[in-house]
Amino acid sequence: MHPSRRPLIAGNWKMNAGGADGCELAAALAKSLRETGDVDIVIAPPATALAAVSNELNKNKSSIAVAGQNMHPEDAGAFTGEISSSMLKICGATWVIIGHSERRQLLGESDGFVRDKVAAACRAEIRPIVCVGETLDQREAGQTLEVVAAQVRAVTGHLGATPGYGVVAYEPIWAIGTGKVASPEDAQQVHSHIRGLLNEVSPELATSTRILYGGSMKPNNAEGLLSQHDIDGGLVGGASLQASGFTKIAEIAQGLAQQAKTH
Ligand code: 13P
């Protein structure tokens, strides 16, 4: 964490909590996250719950923002099952997760498709959280930095148009949902590499872009990760489905943000 960047903790609910359970979770978070004013909080419910969760947060006068988990680059048309930026906006979303590894791997999303989505999100004034990360095989083959570089370079042109508007999330695929978290040092190495890639576009892009870590982030490992210089927050999966765990992670970020300010 660095004092010049506001920490961001985002919860990716994935294909969970898509009905009344999502509203209950949002209501609980609206209450438990009143004291984390130095941290931006974003939650990404499934599409079926976006509008209801946004309404619930508004009703509770919460500053938590809502994100879609995906969007199509086109604004309308024959794309069965897809959701567009304008549809996300109708539901109250102001952020969108793009290029999550589950979509890259299971649905074959390419760097080019991810780039088009980032461009469309920026045009529509929805803030993108772009996910990048290597597989276990790639890590073991020593390819982590080059894989991540290709994924990041695909989107830096669009992110560079408004430095700080978009966010990058480094999510090593082998750490997602496995309980195997990257060590703070390994994560920091990749985050610093990503910041270097952003710096190729502009120093302003490098210093203003928040780079989140994702992959088995939990209350018991968040502090070590969030203390790293180039880790500006977290993209939390499993632990974001319990108000208590997600709140704890946000509180850890709040504590570190306070410390960073006073040092
Ligand atoms: P887990 O926190 O469940 O490992 O998921 C991380 C993730 O994929 C967030 O987008």
Side-chain angles (χ1 to χ4, degrees):
M1 199 169 283
H2 188 276
S4 66
R5 288 181 292 273
R6 213 175 133 76
L8 192 163
I9 301 293
N12 177 6
W13 295 1
K14 306 192 180 182
M15 203 166 69
N16 300 290
D21 46 354
C23 284
E24 279 165 29
L25 181 51
L29 291 171
K31 286 194 182 65
S32 62
L33 288 171
R34 293 239 179 263
E35 309 295 323
T36 50
D38 293 304
V39 181
D40 286 339
I41 309 282
V42 177
I43 53 177
T48 53
L50 275 175
V53 163
S54 297
N55 286 340
E56 190 65 41
L57 293 171
N58 287 341
K59 205 170 75 190
N60 286 280
K61 301 196 173 7
S62 173
S63 59
I64 299 173
V66 171
Q69 295 180 9
N70 173 49
M71 58 166 262
H72 195 276
E74 298 295 330
D75 199 50
F79 302 102
T80 304
E82 289 293 321
I83 191 162
S84 70
S85 57
S86 53
M87 294 172 188
L88 290 179
K89 287 175 103 164
I90 289 167
C91 295
T94 50
W95 291 82
V96 63
I97 297 173
I98 293 180
H100 192 281
S101 62
E102 284 150 14
R103 298 191 62 86
R104 290 182 190 259
Q105 288 208 304
L106 303 174
L107 302 168
E109 289 196 1
S110 66
D111 285 348
F113 196 40
V114 168
R115 182 192 54 232
D116 292 347
K117 291 181 184 210
V118 172
C122 292
R123 267 199 312 274
E125 298 184 357
I126 296 201
R127 301 181 74 168
I129 300 174
V130 189
C131 302
V132 301
E134 81 287 3
T135 64
L136 185 57
D137 284 352
Q138 290 165 335
R139 172 157 283 262
E140 286 176 347
Q143 295 166 345
T144 299
L145 298 184
E146 80 189 72
V147 167
V148 167
Q151 294 170 335
V152 171
R153 284 202 178 107
V155 299
T156 43
H158 296 298
L159 297 182
T162 314
Y165 189 69
V167 166
V168 176
Y170 169 57
E171 300 205 301
I173 294 168
W174 48 270
I176 295 178
T178 58
K180 279 190 215 150
V181 65
S183 71
E185 296 72 25
D186 284 349
Q188 165 60 27
Q189 188 202 14
V190 181
H191 279 237
S192 151
H193 178 65
I194 293 172
R195 207 171 298 288
L197 296 164
L198 298 171
N199 197 52
E200 290 173 358
V201 176
S202 74
E204 198 192 349
L205 184 64
T207 51
S208 63
T209 301
R210 288 170 294 183
I211 308 175
L212 314 182
Y213 169 82
S216 298
M217 185 181 268
K218 310 277 179 221
N220 66 4
N221 59 32
E223 179 147 17
L225 290 159
L226 296 172
S227 303
Q228 298 297 315
H229 190 265
D230 288 301
I231 301 186
D232 306 307
L235 181 54
V236 185
S240 72
L241 293 171
Q242 300 288 336
S244 57
F246 190 66
T247 299
K248 188 86 197 74
I249 293 172
E251 285 170 353
I252 290 166
Q254 169 69 20
L256 290 169
Q258 287 280 334
Q259 268 179 36
K261 269 189 184 171
T262 51
H263 283 146

